[in-house]
């Protein structure tokens, strides 16, 4: 199968993002995409009306609504069960996919059959208005170690490389053969903002023998947080709690494969490193909130 002939089903879960999806969804309808499967996780806003309006512009969009709010993991599982393409690409309702990304991922997939191919992931700053310009400021990397450090659970997918890199895990925006995706479901045990659910899926895929590559020619750009309201976002403190709690859950469930990929991995050291990252970021913005976060997250990981 060549990149030119391959067909792709894009899956995008959505929840309370009617104000965004008119801007984001159409960017996924690129060359080789035969369908965009939108799984509405029982949104209370007018998501359904917006998607139906988009369908009149492009009939490749397929809309499905969950009977109740079940989380983005359940939405992804339903979406991949409905996929008709040879490949699946997982997108987000608060992100745009830059032109040519799907074709780049397919080219790399054709060179590495059966593998997962991840895209570069960029998070726009609050004062940025151009996704293309945001992608242009990515950090240049040369090695996989600069992208994914499993020892510290530190990931830098906001990057650009001169070549395709084999990595232990990639960002949530990735391409996978549909038959391979059918082997595993995203685990609904990850609660709140479902932080780490994609890392869990990718580690379990690695345990089944799949390789993972990063092709930074493909770029998914997350809109600024102030604009990307709704979704699985929680209040600040709940978000930080679930980041730590779900990371600890990820480690407990996948410690064997993590240690196979990173023999010197230490769970306590990884959690302390993450705690330091989170607190450091908060302190840079608000010292009082940083001290409160230290106490709360230390208790959550005790």
């Amino acid at each position: 199968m060549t990149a030119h002939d391959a067909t792709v089903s894009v899956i995008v879960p959505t929840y309370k993002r009617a104000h965004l999806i008119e801007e984001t969804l159409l960017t996924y309808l690129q060359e080789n995409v035969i369908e965009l499967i939108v799984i509405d996780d029982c949104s209370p806003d007018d998501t359904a009306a917006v998607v139906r309006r988009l369908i009149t512009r492009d009939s490749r969009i397929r809309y499905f609504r969950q009977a109740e709010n079940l989380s983005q993991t359940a939405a992804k599982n339903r979406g991949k069960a409905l996929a008709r393409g040879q490949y699946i690409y997982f997108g987000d309702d608060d992100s745009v996919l830059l032109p040519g990304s799907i074709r780049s991922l397919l080219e790399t997939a054709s060179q590495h059959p059966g593998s997962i191919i991840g895209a570069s992931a960029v998070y726009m700053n609050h004062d940025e208005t151009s996704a293309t310009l945001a992608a242009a400021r990515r950090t240049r990397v040369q090695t996989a170690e600069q992208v994914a450090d499993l020892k510290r659970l530190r990931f830098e997918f906001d990057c650009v490389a001169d070549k395709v890199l084999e990595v232990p895990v990639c960002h949530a925006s990735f391409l996978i053969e549909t038959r391979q995706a059918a082997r595993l479901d995203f685990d609904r045990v990850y609660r709140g903002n479902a932080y780490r659910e994609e890392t869990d899926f990718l580690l379990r895929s690695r345990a089944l023998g799949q390789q993972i590559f990063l092709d930074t020619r493909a770029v998914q750009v997350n809109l600024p947080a102030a604009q990307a309201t709704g979704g699985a976002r929680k209040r600040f403190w709940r978000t930080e709690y679930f980041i730590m709690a779900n990371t600890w859950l990820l480690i407990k469930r996948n410690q064997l494969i993590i240690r196979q990929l990173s023999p010197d991995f230490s769970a306590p050291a990884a959690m302390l490193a993450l705690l330091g990252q989170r607190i450091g970021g908060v302190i840079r913005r608000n010292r009082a909130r940083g001290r409160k976060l230290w106490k709360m997250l230390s208790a959550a990981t005790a």
Side-chain angles (χ1 to χ4, degrees):
M1 183 196 314
T2 67
H4 178 76
D5 300 325
T7 58
V8 178
S9 298
V10 175
I11 297 169
V12 176
T14 188
Y15 181 64
K16 293 197 304 185
R17 291 251 169 85
H19 61 293
L20 280 185
I21 54 179
E22 199 151 10
E23 176 180 354
T24 60
L25 291 185
L26 296 179
T27 67
Y28 294 101
L29 291 166
Q30 300 186 9
E31 200 173 5
N32 295 89
V33 174
I34 62 167
E35 60 182 356
L36 168 57
I37 301 172
V38 180
I39 307 294
D40 180 357
D41 200 18
C42 201
S43 298
D45 59 11
D46 60 344
T47 290
V50 175
V51 177
R52 291 193 183 101
R53 188 162 63 246
L54 292 175
I55 291 173
T56 65
R57 296 168 60 181
D58 197 311
S59 61
R60 288 178 291 173
I61 301 173
R62 301 172 65 200
Y63 173 74
F64 301 89
R65 180 178 170 85
Q66 302 280 62
E68 58 181 307
N69 182 246
L70 297 173
S71 81
Q72 65 179 339
T73 51
K76 286 183 179 180
N77 290 336
R78 184 179 181 188
K80 69 187 185 70
L82 293 165
R84 299 182 293 203
Q86 295 158 320
Y87 289 89
I88 289 171
Y89 179 81
F90 292 101
D92 290 312
D93 60 351
D94 62 345
S95 306
V96 296
L97 188 64
L98 295 193
S101 292
I102 293 292
R103 177 54 67 88
S104 294
L105 295 172
L106 286 172
E107 288 175 356
T108 300
S110 69
Q111 297 165 11
H112 303 281
S115 299
I116 293 170
I117 316 298
S120 179
V122 176
Y123 289 82
M124 293 177 67
N125 295 323
H126 68 91
D127 57 347
E128 290 181 309
T129 58
S130 168
T132 302
L133 291 179
R137 62 165 167 75
R138 288 177 293 164
T139 302
R140 183 162 293 278
V141 297
Q142 301 294 332
T143 67
E145 291 73 22
Q146 292 175 283
V147 177
D149 179 2
L150 275 183
K151 181 180 178 181
R152 297 175 178 81
L153 292 179
R154 179 175 295 174
F155 308 111
E156 301 292 343
F157 299 121
D158 184 355
C159 63
V160 60
D162 293 328
K163 61 182 179 180
V164 172
L165 299 173
E166 184 173 3
V167 291
V169 295
C170 61
H171 187 261
S173 49
F174 61 84
L175 184 83
I176 183 173
E177 291 182 11
T178 302
R179 64 181 180 86
Q180 299 281 9
R183 298 191 299 172
L184 294 172
D185 274 346
F186 289 90
D187 201 324
R188 292 181 58 196
V189 73
Y190 293 92
R191 300 297 184 183
N193 57 4
Y195 191 75
R196 299 297 191 196
E197 48 89 13
E198 76 286 346
T199 311
D200 175 273
F201 181 92
L202 292 164
L203 286 171
R204 288 186 289 127
S205 296
R206 285 296 303 256
L208 292 176
Q210 278 188 277
Q211 292 176 286
I212 301 175
F213 295 89
L214 176 68
D215 185 341
T216 61
R217 294 178 301 167
V219 188
Q220 185 166 305
V221 181
N222 292 257
L223 299 178
Q227 183 180 354
T229 55
R233 293 181 184 274
K234 306 293 182 183
R235 292 178 181 269
F236 175 83
W237 298 114
R238 283 177 58 80
T239 295
E240 294 299 328
Y241 170 81
F242 281 118
I243 285 173
M244 297 300 294
N246 283 342
T247 298
W248 181 242
L249 183 59
L250 171 83
I251 291 172
K252 289 197 297 182
R253 294 170 64 84
N254 296 280
Q255 198 157 175
L256 180 60
I257 182 62
I258 293 174
R259 285 211 167 110
Q260 288 175 355
L261 295 169
S262 180
D264 55 352
F265 175 78
S266 164
M271 290 302 295
L272 280 173
L274 178 61
L275 185 62
Q277 291 174 42
R278 303 307 304 179
I279 292 170
V282 173
I283 288 176
R284 283 193 294 271
R285 297 187 296 270
N286 186 309
R287 290 185 180 277
R289 179 177 275 186
R291 288 192 294 269
K292 186 176 180 181
L293 179 62
W294 171 268
K295 294 179 182 178
M296 185 192 74
L297 296 185
S298 296
T301 58

